[in-house]
PDB file of all heavy atoms in Angstrom:
ATOM      1  N   PRO A   1      -8.481  -4.363  15.303  1.00 96.00           N
ATOM      2  CA  PRO A   1      -9.526  -5.034  16.096  1.00 96.00           C
ATOM      3  C   PRO A   1     -10.809  -5.194  15.284  1.00 96.00           C
ATOM      4  O   PRO A   1     -11.145  -4.336  14.461  1.00 96.00           O
ATOM      5  CB  PRO A   1      -9.747  -4.068  17.278  1.00 96.00           C
ATOM      6  CG  PRO A   1      -8.500  -3.245  17.349  1.00 96.00           C
ATOM      7  CD  PRO A   1      -7.990  -3.137  15.937  1.00 96.00           C
ATOM      8  N   LYS A   2     -11.500  -6.302  15.516  1.00 95.00           N
ATOM      9  CA  LYS A   2     -12.707  -6.606  14.738  1.00 95.00           C
ATOM     10  C   LYS A   2     -13.742  -5.494  14.806  1.00 95.00           C
ATOM     11  O   LYS A   2     -14.426  -5.207  13.824  1.00 95.00           O
ATOM     12  CB  LYS A   2     -13.326  -7.922  15.213  1.00 95.00           C
ATOM     13  CG  LYS A   2     -12.529  -9.138  14.790  1.00 95.00           C
ATOM     14  CD  LYS A   2     -13.191 -10.431  15.185  1.00 95.00           C
ATOM     15  CE  LYS A   2     -12.322 -11.603  14.748  1.00 95.00           C
ATOM     16  NZ  LYS A   2     -12.882 -12.878  15.146  1.00 95.00           N
ATOM     17  N   ASP A   3     -13.857  -4.848  15.966  1.00 96.00           N
ATOM     18  CA  ASP A   3     -14.874  -3.802  16.099  1.00 96.00           C
ATOM     19  C   ASP A   3     -14.505  -2.511  15.375  1.00 96.00           C
ATOM     20  O   ASP A   3     -15.331  -1.614  15.242  1.00 96.00           O
ATOM     21  CB  ASP A   3     -15.171  -3.510  17.578  1.00 96.00           C
ATOM     22  CG  ASP A   3     -13.969  -2.969  18.341  1.00 96.00           C
ATOM     23  OD1 ASP A   3     -12.822  -3.192  17.892  1.00 96.00           O
ATOM     24  OD2 ASP A   3     -14.176  -2.326  19.386  1.00 96.00           O
ATOM     25  N   ARG A   4     -13.263  -2.438  14.859  1.00 96.00           N
ATOM     26  CA  ARG A   4     -12.829  -1.249  14.110  1.00 96.00           C
ATOM     27  C   ARG A   4     -12.547  -1.574  12.646  1.00 96.00           C
ATOM     28  O   ARG A   4     -12.117  -0.709  11.884  1.00 96.00           O
ATOM     29  CB  ARG A   4     -11.581  -0.634  14.767  1.00 96.00           C
ATOM     30  CG  ARG A   4     -11.816  -0.203  16.213  1.00 96.00           C
ATOM     31  CD  ARG A   4     -10.615   0.509  16.773  1.00 96.00           C
ATOM     32  NE  ARG A   4     -10.440   1.800  16.122  1.00 96.00           N
ATOM     33  CZ  ARG A   4      -9.319   2.535  16.218  1.00 96.00           C
ATOM     34  NH1 ARG A   4      -8.298   2.111  16.928  1.00 96.00           N
ATOM     35  NH2 ARG A   4      -9.221   3.696  15.599  1.00 96.00           N
ATOM     36  N   PHE A   5     -12.773  -2.830  12.274  1.00 94.00           N
ATOM     37  CA  PHE A   5     -12.422  -3.312  10.933  1.00 94.00           C
ATOM     38  C   PHE A   5     -13.165  -2.556   9.836  1.00 94.00           C
ATOM     39  O   PHE A   5     -12.565  -2.112   8.855  1.00 94.00           O
ATOM     40  CB  PHE A   5     -12.709  -4.808  10.843  1.00 94.00           C
ATOM     41  CG  PHE A   5     -11.910  -5.516   9.788  1.00 94.00           C
ATOM     42  CD1 PHE A   5     -10.556  -5.739   9.961  1.00 94.00           C
ATOM     43  CD2 PHE A   5     -12.504  -5.964   8.626  1.00 94.00           C
ATOM     44  CE1 PHE A   5      -9.812  -6.399   8.995  1.00 94.00           C
ATOM     45  CE2 PHE A   5     -11.775  -6.626   7.649  1.00 94.00           C
ATOM     46  CZ  PHE A   5     -10.429  -6.840   7.840  1.00 94.00           C
ATOM     47  N   GLU A   6     -14.466  -2.381   9.998  1.00 92.00           N
ATOM     48  CA  GLU A   6     -15.253  -1.675   8.988  1.00 92.00           C
ATOM     49  C   GLU A   6     -14.815  -0.219   8.879  1.00 92.00           C
ATOM     50  O   GLU A   6     -14.669   0.318   7.769  1.00 92.00           O
ATOM     51  CB  GLU A   6     -16.746  -1.754   9.342  1.00 92.00           C
ATOM     52  CG  GLU A   6     -17.641  -1.226   8.238  1.00 92.00           C
ATOM     53  CD  GLU A   6     -19.119  -1.403   8.556  1.00 92.00           C
ATOM     54  OE1 GLU A   6     -19.482  -2.325   9.311  1.00 92.00           O
ATOM     55  OE2 GLU A   6     -19.903  -0.592   8.018  1.00 92.00           O
ATOM     56  N   ALA A   7     -14.561   0.428  10.011  1.00 94.00           N
ATOM     57  CA  ALA A   7     -14.099   1.822  10.010  1.00 94.00           C
ATOM     58  C   ALA A   7     -12.728   1.938   9.340  1.00 94.00           C
ATOM     59  O   ALA A   7     -12.465   2.901   8.597  1.00 94.00           O
ATOM     60  CB  ALA A   7     -14.034   2.366  11.440  1.00 94.00           C
ATOM     61  N   PHE A   8     -11.870   0.935   9.574  1.00 95.00           N
ATOM     62  CA  PHE A   8     -10.557   0.956   8.938  1.00 95.00           C
ATOM     63  C   PHE A   8     -10.686   0.903   7.421  1.00 95.00           C
ATOM     64  O   PHE A   8     -10.033   1.653   6.697  1.00 95.00           O
ATOM     65  CB  PHE A   8      -9.686  -0.207   9.424  1.00 95.00           C
ATOM     66  CG  PHE A   8      -8.424  -0.365   8.617  1.00 95.00           C
ATOM     67  CD1 PHE A   8      -7.412   0.579   8.689  1.00 95.00           C
ATOM     68  CD2 PHE A   8      -8.258  -1.437   7.749  1.00 95.00           C
ATOM     69  CE1 PHE A   8      -6.248   0.456   7.922  1.00 95.00           C
ATOM     70  CE2 PHE A   8      -7.110  -1.566   6.986  1.00 95.00           C
ATOM     71  CZ  PHE A   8      -6.101  -0.623   7.076  1.00 95.00           C
ATOM     72  N   HIS A   9     -11.547   0.048   6.912  1.00 90.00           N
ATOM     73  CA  HIS A   9     -11.679  -0.071   5.460  1.00 90.00           C
ATOM     74  C   HIS A   9     -12.367   1.142   4.839  1.00 90.00           C
ATOM     75  O   HIS A   9     -12.081   1.492   3.692  1.00 90.00           O
ATOM     76  CB  HIS A   9     -12.333  -1.396   5.083  1.00 90.00           C
ATOM     77  CG  HIS A   9     -11.343  -2.515   5.160  1.00 90.00           C
ATOM     78  ND1 HIS A   9     -10.397  -2.737   4.187  1.00 90.00           N
ATOM     79  CD2 HIS A   9     -11.089  -3.428   6.132  1.00 90.00           C
ATOM     80  CE1 HIS A   9      -9.626  -3.745   4.539  1.00 90.00           C
ATOM     81  NE2 HIS A   9     -10.015  -4.177   5.717  1.00 90.00           N
ATOM     82  N   HIS A  10     -13.199   1.816   5.594  1.00 89.00           N
ATOM     83  CA  HIS A  10     -13.737   3.097   5.121  1.00 89.00           C
ATOM     84  C   HIS A  10     -12.599   4.116   5.037  1.00 89.00           C
ATOM     85  O   HIS A  10     -12.468   4.840   4.047  1.00 89.00           O
ATOM     86  CB  HIS A  10     -14.842   3.603   6.057  1.00 89.00           C
ATOM     87  CG  HIS A  10     -15.357   4.952   5.660  1.00 89.00           C
ATOM     88  ND1 HIS A  10     -16.184   5.140   4.570  1.00 89.00           N
ATOM     89  CD2 HIS A  10     -15.130   6.186   6.193  1.00 89.00           C
ATOM     90  CE1 HIS A  10     -16.449   6.436   4.447  1.00 89.00           C
ATOM     91  NE2 HIS A  10     -15.821   7.085   5.420  1.00 89.00           N
ATOM     92  N   PHE A  11     -11.739   4.147   6.053  1.00 93.00           N
ATOM     93  CA  PHE A  11     -10.559   5.022   6.080  1.00 93.00           C
ATOM     94  C   PHE A  11      -9.629   4.694   4.906  1.00 93.00           C
ATOM     95  O   PHE A  11      -9.135   5.586   4.215  1.00 93.00           O
ATOM     96  CB  PHE A  11      -9.845   4.838   7.423  1.00 93.00           C
ATOM     97  CG  PHE A  11      -8.480   5.442   7.512  1.00 93.00           C
ATOM     98  CD1 PHE A  11      -8.320   6.809   7.678  1.00 93.00           C
ATOM     99  CD2 PHE A  11      -7.344   4.642   7.450  1.00 93.00           C
ATOM    100  CE1 PHE A  11      -7.052   7.370   7.780  1.00 93.00           C
ATOM    101  CE2 PHE A  11      -6.079   5.185   7.547  1.00 93.00           C
ATOM    102  CZ  PHE A  11      -5.934   6.559   7.713  1.00 93.00           C
ATOM    103  N   LEU A  12      -9.437   3.408   4.677  1.00 90.00           N
ATOM    104  CA  LEU A  12      -8.560   2.953   3.588  1.00 90.00           C
ATOM    105  C   LEU A  12      -9.072   3.439   2.233  1.00 90.00           C
ATOM    106  O   LEU A  12      -8.286   3.800   1.354  1.00 90.00           O
ATOM    107  CB  LEU A  12      -8.507   1.429   3.608  1.00 90.00           C
ATOM    108  CG  LEU A  12      -7.297   0.737   3.012  1.00 90.00           C
ATOM    109  CD1 LEU A  12      -6.025   1.148   3.715  1.00 90.00           C
ATOM    110  CD2 LEU A  12      -7.487  -0.768   3.083  1.00 90.00           C
ATOM    111  N   GLY A  13     -10.399   3.481   2.083  1.00 86.00           N
ATOM    112  CA  GLY A  13     -11.007   3.910   0.830  1.00 86.00           C
ATOM    113  C   GLY A  13     -10.767   5.368   0.492  1.00 86.00           C
ATOM    114  O   GLY A  13     -10.988   5.792  -0.644  1.00 86.00           O
ATOM    115  N   THR A  14     -10.276   6.151   1.441  1.00 88.00           N
ATOM    116  CA  THR A  14      -9.998   7.574   1.209  1.00 88.00           C
ATOM    117  C   THR A  14      -8.556   7.808   0.778  1.00 88.00           C
ATOM    118  O   THR A  14      -8.172   8.945   0.530  1.00 88.00           O
ATOM    119  CB  THR A  14     -10.272   8.401   2.483  1.00 88.00           C
ATOM    120  OG1 THR A  14      -9.308   8.047   3.494  1.00 88.00           O
ATOM    121  CG2 THR A  14     -11.678   8.166   3.007  1.00 88.00           C
ATOM    122  N   ARG A  15      -7.758   6.745   0.707  1.00 90.00           N
ATOM    123  CA  ARG A  15      -6.315   6.901   0.478  1.00 90.00           C
ATOM    124  C   ARG A  15      -5.874   6.324  -0.867  1.00 90.00           C
ATOM    125  O   ARG A  15      -6.503   5.419  -1.395  1.00 90.00           O
ATOM    126  CB  ARG A  15      -5.535   6.195   1.591  1.00 90.00           C
ATOM    127  CG  ARG A  15      -5.864   6.703   2.977  1.00 90.00           C
ATOM    128  CD  ARG A  15      -5.188   5.854   4.038  1.00 90.00           C
ATOM    129  NE  ARG A  15      -3.748   5.958   3.978  1.00 90.00           N
ATOM    130  CZ  ARG A  15      -3.026   6.863   4.631  1.00 90.00           C
ATOM    131  NH1 ARG A  15      -3.629   7.753   5.387  1.00 90.00           N
ATOM    132  NH2 ARG A  15      -1.719   6.886   4.534  1.00 90.00           N
ATOM    133  N   ASN A  16      -4.763   6.846  -1.374  1.00 93.00           N
ATOM    134  CA  ASN A  16      -4.067   6.244  -2.509  1.00 93.00           C
ATOM    135  C   ASN A  16      -2.911   5.437  -1.920  1.00 93.00           C
ATOM    136  O   ASN A  16      -1.908   6.009  -1.479  1.00 93.00           O
ATOM    137  CB  ASN A  16      -3.544   7.322  -3.459  1.00 93.00           C
ATOM    138  CG  ASN A  16      -2.699   6.750  -4.585  1.00 93.00           C
ATOM    139  OD1 ASN A  16      -2.399   5.555  -4.614  1.00 93.00           O
ATOM    140  ND2 ASN A  16      -2.297   7.602  -5.494  1.00 93.00           N
ATOM    141  N   LEU A  17      -3.049   4.135  -1.892  1.00 92.00           N
ATOM    142  CA  LEU A  17      -2.047   3.280  -1.254  1.00 92.00           C
ATOM    143  C   LEU A  17      -0.712   3.260  -1.991  1.00 92.00           C
ATOM    144  O   LEU A  17       0.286   2.792  -1.453  1.00 92.00           O
ATOM    145  CB  LEU A  17      -2.583   1.852  -1.125  1.00 92.00           C
ATOM    146  CG  LEU A  17      -3.795   1.701  -0.206  1.00 92.00           C
ATOM    147  CD1 LEU A  17      -4.251   0.253  -0.174  1.00 92.00           C
ATOM    148  CD2 LEU A  17      -3.499   2.202   1.192  1.00 92.00           C
ATOM    149  N   TYR A  18      -0.697   3.782  -3.203  1.00 95.00           N
ATOM    150  CA  TYR A  18       0.554   3.779  -3.978  1.00 95.00           C
ATOM    151  C   TYR A  18       1.251   5.137  -3.987  1.00 95.00           C
ATOM    152  O   TYR A  18       2.312   5.280  -4.588  1.00 95.00           O
ATOM    153  CB  TYR A  18       0.280   3.279  -5.402  1.00 95.00           C
ATOM    154  CG  TYR A  18      -0.163   1.851  -5.364  1.00 95.00           C
ATOM    155  CD1 TYR A  18      -1.510   1.525  -5.290  1.00 95.00           C
ATOM    156  CD2 TYR A  18       0.766   0.825  -5.312  1.00 95.00           C
ATOM    157  CE1 TYR A  18      -1.920   0.212  -5.183  1.00 95.00           C
ATOM    158  CE2 TYR A  18       0.363  -0.497  -5.202  1.00 95.00           C
ATOM    159  CZ  TYR A  18      -0.977  -0.791  -5.133  1.00 95.00           C
ATOM    160  OH  TYR A  18      -1.381  -2.092  -5.012  1.00 95.00           O
ATOM    161  N   GLN A  19       0.662   6.101  -3.306  1.00 94.00           N
ATOM    162  CA  GLN A  19       1.254   7.443  -3.277  1.00 94.00           C
ATOM    163  C   GLN A  19       2.631   7.430  -2.617  1.00 94.00           C
ATOM    164  O   GLN A  19       3.546   8.122  -3.048  1.00 94.00           O
ATOM    165  CB  GLN A  19       0.325   8.401  -2.539  1.00 94.00           C
ATOM    166  CG  GLN A  19       0.757   9.842  -2.610  1.00 94.00           C
ATOM    167  CD  GLN A  19      -0.298  10.773  -2.039  1.00 94.00           C
ATOM    168  OE1 GLN A  19      -1.344  10.351  -1.561  1.00 94.00           O
ATOM    169  NE2 GLN A  19      -0.027  12.052  -2.096  1.00 94.00           N
ATOM    170  N   ASN A  20       2.773   6.634  -1.559  1.00 91.00           N
ATOM    171  CA  ASN A  20       4.055   6.542  -0.847  1.00 91.00           C
ATOM    172  C   ASN A  20       4.566   5.109  -0.827  1.00 91.00           C
ATOM    173  O   ASN A  20       5.174   4.682   0.155  1.00 91.00           O
ATOM    174  CB  ASN A  20       3.901   7.066   0.585  1.00 91.00           C
ATOM    175  CG  ASN A  20       3.504   8.523   0.628  1.00 91.00           C
ATOM    176  OD1 ASN A  20       4.101   9.344  -0.059  1.00 91.00           O
ATOM    177  ND2 ASN A  20       2.490   8.850   1.401  1.00 91.00           N
ATOM    178  N   ALA A  21       4.310   4.388  -1.903  1.00 94.00           N
ATOM    179  CA  ALA A  21       4.765   2.994  -1.962  1.00 94.00           C
ATOM    180  C   ALA A  21       6.283   2.918  -1.832  1.00 94.00           C
ATOM    181  O   ALA A  21       7.000   3.803  -2.300  1.00 94.00           O
ATOM    182  CB  ALA A  21       4.325   2.359  -3.278  1.00 94.00           C
ATOM    183  N   VAL A  22       6.744   1.863  -1.185  1.00 95.00           N
ATOM    184  CA  VAL A  22       8.177   1.643  -1.002  1.00 95.00           C
ATOM    185  C   VAL A  22       8.635   0.623  -2.041  1.00 95.00           C
ATOM    186  O   VAL A  22       8.205  -0.539  -2.018  1.00 95.00           O
ATOM    187  CB  VAL A  22       8.480   1.117   0.422  1.00 95.00           C
ATOM    188  CG1 VAL A  22       9.958   0.798   0.570  1.00 95.00           C
ATOM    189  CG2 VAL A  22       8.021   2.125   1.468  1.00 95.00           C
ATOM    190  N   ILE A  23       9.479   1.073  -2.960  1.00 97.00           N
ATOM    191  CA  ILE A  23      10.013   0.178  -3.994  1.00 97.00           C
ATOM    192  C   ILE A  23      11.023  -0.760  -3.338  1.00 97.00           C
ATOM    193  O   ILE A  23      11.902  -0.312  -2.602  1.00 97.00           O
ATOM    194  CB  ILE A  23      10.718   0.977  -5.112  1.00 97.00           C
ATOM    195  CG1 ILE A  23       9.833   2.085  -5.660  1.00 97.00           C
ATOM    196  CG2 ILE A  23      11.214   0.050  -6.211  1.00 97.00           C
ATOM    197  CD1 ILE A  23       8.706   1.641  -6.512  1.00 97.00           C
ATOM    198  N   LEU A  24      10.907  -2.049  -3.614  1.00 98.00           N
ATOM    199  CA  LEU A  24      11.832  -3.005  -3.016  1.00 98.00           C
ATOM    200  C   LEU A  24      13.221  -2.856  -3.645  1.00 98.00           C
ATOM    201  O   LEU A  24      13.352  -2.474  -4.822  1.00 98.00           O
ATOM    202  CB  LEU A  24      11.310  -4.421  -3.187  1.00 98.00           C
ATOM    203  CG  LEU A  24      10.000  -4.690  -2.436  1.00 98.00           C
ATOM    204  CD1 LEU A  24       9.613  -6.147  -2.534  1.00 98.00           C
ATOM    205  CD2 LEU A  24      10.081  -4.281  -0.985  1.00 98.00           C
ATOM    206  N   PRO A  25      14.269  -3.121  -2.849  1.00 98.00           N
ATOM    207  CA  PRO A  25      15.638  -2.920  -3.336  1.00 98.00           C
ATOM    208  C   PRO A  25      15.908  -3.631  -4.657  1.00 98.00           C
ATOM    209  O   PRO A  25      15.579  -4.811  -4.818  1.00 98.00           O
ATOM    210  CB  PRO A  25      16.494  -3.515  -2.203  1.00 98.00           C
ATOM    211  CG  PRO A  25      15.640  -3.391  -0.986  1.00 98.00           C
ATOM    212  CD  PRO A  25      14.229  -3.592  -1.460  1.00 98.00           C
ATOM    213  N   ASP A  26      16.500  -2.888  -5.583  1.00 98.00           N
ATOM    214  CA  ASP A  26      16.940  -3.380  -6.900  1.00 98.00           C
ATOM    215  C   ASP A  26      15.807  -3.772  -7.844  1.00 98.00           C
ATOM    216  O   ASP A  26      16.055  -4.283  -8.936  1.00 98.00           O
ATOM    217  CB  ASP A  26      17.910  -4.575  -6.762  1.00 98.00           C
ATOM    218  CG  ASP A  26      19.107  -4.237  -5.894  1.00 98.00           C
ATOM    219  OD1 ASP A  26      19.830  -3.291  -6.250  1.00 98.00           O
ATOM    220  OD2 ASP A  26      19.295  -4.885  -4.848  1.00 98.00           O
ATOM    221  N   ALA A  27      14.554  -3.521  -7.457  1.00 98.00           N
ATOM    222  CA  ALA A  27      13.417  -3.929  -8.293  1.00 98.00           C
ATOM    223  C   ALA A  27      13.440  -3.232  -9.652  1.00 98.00           C
ATOM    224  O   ALA A  27      13.397  -3.891 -10.696  1.00 98.00           O
ATOM    225  CB  ALA A  27      12.097  -3.660  -7.572  1.00 98.00           C
ATOM    226  N   VAL A  28      13.488  -1.917  -9.656  1.00 98.00           N
ATOM    227  CA  VAL A  28      13.388  -1.170 -10.917  1.00 98.00           C
ATOM    228  C   VAL A  28      14.555  -1.510 -11.834  1.00 98.00           C
ATOM    229  O   VAL A  28      14.361  -1.787 -13.031  1.00 98.00           O
ATOM    230  CB  VAL A  28      13.305   0.354 -10.658  1.00 98.00           C
ATOM    231  CG1 VAL A  28      13.367   1.129 -11.968  1.00 98.00           C
ATOM    232  CG2 VAL A  28      12.021   0.696  -9.901  1.00 98.00           C
ATOM    233  N   GLU A  29      15.762  -1.527 -11.284  1.00 98.00           N
ATOM    234  CA  GLU A  29      16.951  -1.802 -12.100  1.00 98.00           C
ATOM    235  C   GLU A  29      16.892  -3.207 -12.704  1.00 98.00           C
ATOM    236  O   GLU A  29      17.210  -3.402 -13.887  1.00 98.00           O
ATOM    237  CB  GLU A  29      18.226  -1.668 -11.246  1.00 98.00           C
ATOM    238  CG  GLU A  29      18.447  -0.284 -10.663  1.00 98.00           C
ATOM    239  CD  GLU A  29      17.656  -0.002  -9.382  1.00 98.00           C
ATOM    240  OE1 GLU A  29      16.900  -0.881  -8.912  1.00 98.00           O
ATOM    241  OE2 GLU A  29      17.779   1.119  -8.856  1.00 98.00           O
ATOM    242  N   THR A  30      16.476  -4.182 -11.903  1.00 98.00           N
ATOM    243  CA  THR A  30      16.441  -5.560 -12.399  1.00 98.00           C
ATOM    244  C   THR A  30      15.324  -5.743 -13.421  1.00 98.00           C
ATOM    245  O   THR A  30      15.521  -6.402 -14.451  1.00 98.00           O
ATOM    246  CB  THR A  30      16.262  -6.549 -11.227  1.00 98.00           C
ATOM    247  OG1 THR A  30      17.300  -6.316 -10.269  1.00 98.00           O
ATOM    248  CG2 THR A  30      16.325  -7.988 -11.713  1.00 98.00           C
ATOM    249  N   ILE A  31      14.156  -5.158 -13.161  1.00 98.00           N
ATOM    250  CA  ILE A  31      13.047  -5.281 -14.114  1.00 98.00           C
ATOM    251  C   ILE A  31      13.431  -4.630 -15.446  1.00 98.00           C
ATOM    252  O   ILE A  31      13.085  -5.141 -16.513  1.00 98.00           O
ATOM    253  CB  ILE A  31      11.757  -4.667 -13.534  1.00 98.00           C
ATOM    254  CG1 ILE A  31      11.285  -5.489 -12.327  1.00 98.00           C
ATOM    255  CG2 ILE A  31      10.651  -4.603 -14.586  1.00 98.00           C
ATOM    256  CD1 ILE A  31      10.212  -4.821 -11.500  1.00 98.00           C
ATOM    257  N   LYS A  32      14.162  -3.532 -15.374  1.00 98.00           N
ATOM    258  CA  LYS A  32      14.604  -2.872 -16.610  1.00 98.00           C
ATOM    259  C   LYS A  32      15.516  -3.809 -17.410  1.00 98.00           C
ATOM    260  O   LYS A  32      15.383  -3.933 -18.636  1.00 98.00           O
ATOM    261  CB  LYS A  32      15.333  -1.571 -16.268  1.00 98.00           C
ATOM    262  CG  LYS A  32      15.554  -0.681 -17.462  1.00 98.00           C
ATOM    263  CD  LYS A  32      16.005   0.701 -17.033  1.00 98.00           C
ATOM    264  CE  LYS A  32      15.979   1.632 -18.226  1.00 98.00           C
ATOM    265  NZ  LYS A  32      16.320   3.015 -17.873  1.00 98.00           N
ATOM    266  N   LYS A  33      16.428  -4.495 -16.726  1.00 97.00           N
ATOM    267  CA  LYS A  33      17.310  -5.456 -17.405  1.00 97.00           C
ATOM    268  C   LYS A  33      16.503  -6.630 -17.966  1.00 97.00           C
ATOM    269  O   LYS A  33      16.742  -7.077 -19.090  1.00 97.00           O
ATOM    270  CB  LYS A  33      18.365  -5.987 -16.427  1.00 97.00           C
ATOM    271  CG  LYS A  33      19.407  -4.975 -16.008  1.00 97.00           C
ATOM    272  CD  LYS A  33      20.354  -5.616 -14.992  1.00 97.00           C
ATOM    273  CE  LYS A  33      21.237  -4.584 -14.322  1.00 97.00           C
ATOM    274  NZ  LYS A  33      22.040  -5.200 -13.248  1.00 97.00           N
ATOM    275  N   LEU A  34      15.574  -7.128 -17.172  1.00 98.00           N
ATOM    276  CA  LEU A  34      14.739  -8.249 -17.625  1.00 98.00           C
ATOM    277  C   LEU A  34      13.928  -7.866 -18.858  1.00 98.00           C
ATOM    278  O   LEU A  34      13.737  -8.679 -19.772  1.00 98.00           O
ATOM    279  CB  LEU A  34      13.784  -8.693 -16.514  1.00 98.00           C
ATOM    280  CG  LEU A  34      14.385  -9.411 -15.314  1.00 98.00           C
ATOM    281  CD1 LEU A  34      13.340  -9.576 -14.215  1.00 98.00           C
ATOM    282  CD2 LEU A  34      14.959 -10.762 -15.716  1.00 98.00           C
TER     283      LEU A  34
END
């Protein structure tokens, strides 16, 4: 919601968004071949 948007981005700034990233299927294996 717009009234929570600024608070959300402050919350987002406290996180590492890649700590629990989900690797897409076959990405690593295919990139290694490429």
Side-chain angles (χ1 to χ4, degrees):
K2 287 184 181 178
D3 63 338
R4 300 185 69 194
F5 204 72
E6 189 176 333
F8 170 69
H9 282 283
H10 176 74
F11 168 77
L12 205 60
T14 67
R15 302 173 65 89
N16 175 354
L17 295 179
Y18 295 92
Q19 188 172 2
N20 298 312
V22 176
I23 308 287
L24 295 186
D26 304 301
V28 173
E29 299 82 0
T30 305
I31 294 167
K32 193 168 190 176
K33 290 178 192 174
L34 289 171

